[in-house]
């Protein structure tokens, strides 16, 4: 009887091996997952929570995060609608760090928005917020993942959630006082996770990062004229307000979809035969949320 068990074990092993090889062979690459994602895996961009930042070389499209920082989203939309940013500047550029814009003089008056509002470093809930988990071995948080299209981190019980500082993060600059931010925004040019929960992050660039990289690094000279001409902001508007003349026809992959979970897994273990090492790991900032154009519906 013992002699009969060995071939059965061998058969079982070969069967498992065959299934593993077959599974490996059918794993899709990130680009294949995106290309094959069904329409149900995509959502239309919410234009009422989208900003168009017009720079000299083109437009930066910014999606806002009203769930995690509702007051900052409301305030910057008021500022945009009152024309606060028109003809101001992207007055600070630090390579690999941030591109910062607004009123460097701090003299421009606001009419409907506020100059300073209470910080929203994180969003506190009584019940856990469910996200698509990327990593539970993060150095800055108990776990990281995606919620409503944004890279986020959470405490272990998932009742405190905040947006992480990945490249393209849109956030509000401040001075030493936590509640001093309100008009001066910046966009992260690198991964700046040490800023998490120290500054209110409330959006992300979904298109146009190249226009930020093309900004001048410093004014031509110290003259007032050079300062005024330095990286001008032509305007900042809410996309919903100009949808008839400037349509933004974009769909974003739903980060709660099966397709996005498959994309995260494909980033965690790259299926291409080129990769020798597959660490079974990916950082939340290494996973980009796909977008795609769509025809008017």
């Amino acid at each position: 009887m013992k002699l009969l068990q060995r071939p059965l074990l061998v058969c079982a092993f070969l069967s498992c091996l065959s299934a593993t090889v077959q599974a490996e062979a059918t794993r899709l690459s990130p680009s294949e997952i995106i290309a094959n994602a069904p329409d149900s895996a995509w959502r239309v961009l919410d234009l009422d929570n989208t900003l168009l930042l017009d720079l000299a070389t083109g437009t930066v499209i910014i999606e806002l995060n009203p769930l995690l920082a509702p007051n900052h989203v409301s305030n910057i939309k008021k500022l945009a609608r009152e024309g606060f940013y028109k003809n101001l500047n992207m007055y600070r550029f630090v390579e690999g760090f941030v591109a910062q814009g607004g009123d460097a003089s701090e003299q421009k008056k606001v009419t409907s928005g506020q100059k300073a509002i209470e910080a929203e470093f994180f969003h506190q809930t009584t019940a856990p917020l469910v996200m698509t988990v990327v990593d539970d071995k993060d150095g800055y948080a108990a776990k990281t993942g995606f919620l409503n299209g944004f890279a986020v981190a959470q405490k272990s019980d998932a009742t405190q959630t905040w947006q992480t500082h990945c490249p393209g993060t849109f956030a509000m600059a401040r001075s030493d006082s936590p509640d001093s931010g309100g008009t001066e925004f910046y966009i992260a040019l690198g991964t700046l996770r040490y800023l998490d929960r120290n500054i209110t992050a409330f959006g992300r660039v979904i298109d146009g990062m190249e226009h930020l990289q093309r900004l001048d690094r410093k004014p031509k000279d110290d003259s007032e004229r050079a300062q005024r001409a330095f990286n001008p902001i032509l305007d900042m508007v809410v996309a919903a307000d100009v949808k008839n003349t400037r349509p933004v026809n974009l769909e974003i992959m739903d980060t709660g979809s099966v397709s996005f979970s498959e994309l995260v897994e494909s980033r965690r273990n790259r299926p291409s035969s080129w990769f020798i090492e597959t660490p079974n790991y990916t950082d939340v900032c290494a996973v980009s949320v796909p977008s795609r154009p769509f025809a008017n519906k």
Side-chain angles (χ1 to χ4, degrees):
M1 192 68 180
K2 290 182 180 179
L3 292 176
L4 293 176
Q5 289 179 342
R6 190 168 298 173
L8 288 174
L9 289 172
V10 171
C11 288
F13 170 75
L14 291 175
S15 176
C16 291
L17 181 62
S18 175
T20 301
V21 171
Q22 186 175 6
E24 291 290 325
T26 57
R27 282 174 56 201
L28 299 179
S29 68
S31 61
E32 290 171 328
I33 291 169
I34 295 168
N36 289 286
D39 288 344
S40 59
W42 300 85
R43 62 180 175 86
V44 176
L45 185 64
D46 178 6
L47 298 185
D48 193 50
N49 285 309
T50 301
L51 298 176
L52 305 181
L53 172 62
D54 295 326
L55 303 177
T57 60
T59 299
V60 182
I61 302 175
I62 300 161
E63 183 177 27
L64 299 174
N65 192 343
L67 176 63
L68 299 190
N71 296 330
H72 279 71
V73 169
S74 175
N75 192 57
I76 203 160
K77 286 161 59 176
K78 289 178 182 177
L79 292 169
R81 283 172 167 146
E82 72 180 59
F84 178 82
Y85 294 103
K86 190 178 181 70
N87 298 323
L88 291 180
N89 306 83
M90 299 295 296
Y91 56 81
R92 183 184 184 213
F93 190 102
V94 182
E95 204 77 52
F97 183 51
V98 299
Q100 184 168 322
D103 178 25
S105 72
E106 300 183 347
Q107 299 302 309
K108 188 168 184 177
K109 299 196 180 301
V110 300
T111 56
S112 58
Q114 294 177 263
K115 280 272 194 177
I117 59 176
E118 186 176 349
E120 295 175 295
F121 295 161
F122 54 83
H123 180 56
Q124 190 73 43
T125 55
T126 53
L129 278 183
V130 178
M131 68 175 180
T132 299
V133 176
V134 170
D135 177 29
D136 60 0
K137 300 180 286 292
D138 185 70
Y140 292 93
K143 52 187 173 180
T144 59
F146 283 85
L147 179 64
N148 297 341
F150 297 91
V152 299
Q154 291 182 330
K155 285 195 168 183
S156 57
D157 64 0
T159 59
Q160 190 179 106
T161 307
W162 60 95
Q163 190 176 327
T164 57
H165 272 75
C166 298
T169 293
F170 184 73
M172 188 58 66
R174 67 172 177 88
S175 59
D176 287 350
S177 169
D179 301 329
S180 57
T183 62
E184 309 307 288
F185 66 87
Y186 68 85
I187 295 168
L189 302 176
T191 299
L192 312 172
R193 294 290 308 283
Y194 57 91
L195 295 180
D196 290 359
R197 287 189 294 175
N198 285 294
I199 282 183
T200 301
F202 63 111
R204 70 182 186 96
V205 172
I206 58 173
D207 190 66
M209 280 295 289
E210 68 273 18
H211 301 303
L212 296 165
Q213 295 292 353
R214 293 174 67 184
L215 290 171
D216 290 334
R217 272 41 178 174
K218 59 183 180 180
K220 295 186 182 203
D221 55 56
D222 294 331
S223 68
E224 184 177 340
R225 181 178 180 180
Q227 297 293 330
R228 285 198 306 267
F230 181 51
N231 294 333
I233 296 174
L234 306 181
D235 207 352
M236 180 190 280
V237 298
V238 178
D241 297 346
V242 294
K243 64 182 179 181
N244 293 329
T245 56
R246 301 179 59 188
V248 180
N249 295 327
L250 284 176
E251 288 182 321
I252 313 298
M253 183 174 279
D254 181 354
T255 53
S257 68
V258 172
S259 293
F260 187 77
S261 293
E262 292 173 348
L263 180 63
V264 170
E265 182 56 34
S266 187
R267 293 290 188 193
R268 187 177 285 118
N269 291 298
R270 302 293 182 115
S272 169
S273 60
W274 183 90
F275 287 93
I276 307 302
E277 294 292 335
T278 53
N280 194 34
Y281 177 82
T282 190
D283 182 81
V284 69
C285 290
V287 181
S288 298
V289 180
S291 62
R292 69 180 188 182
F294 73 95
N296 286 322
K297 296 182 180 180

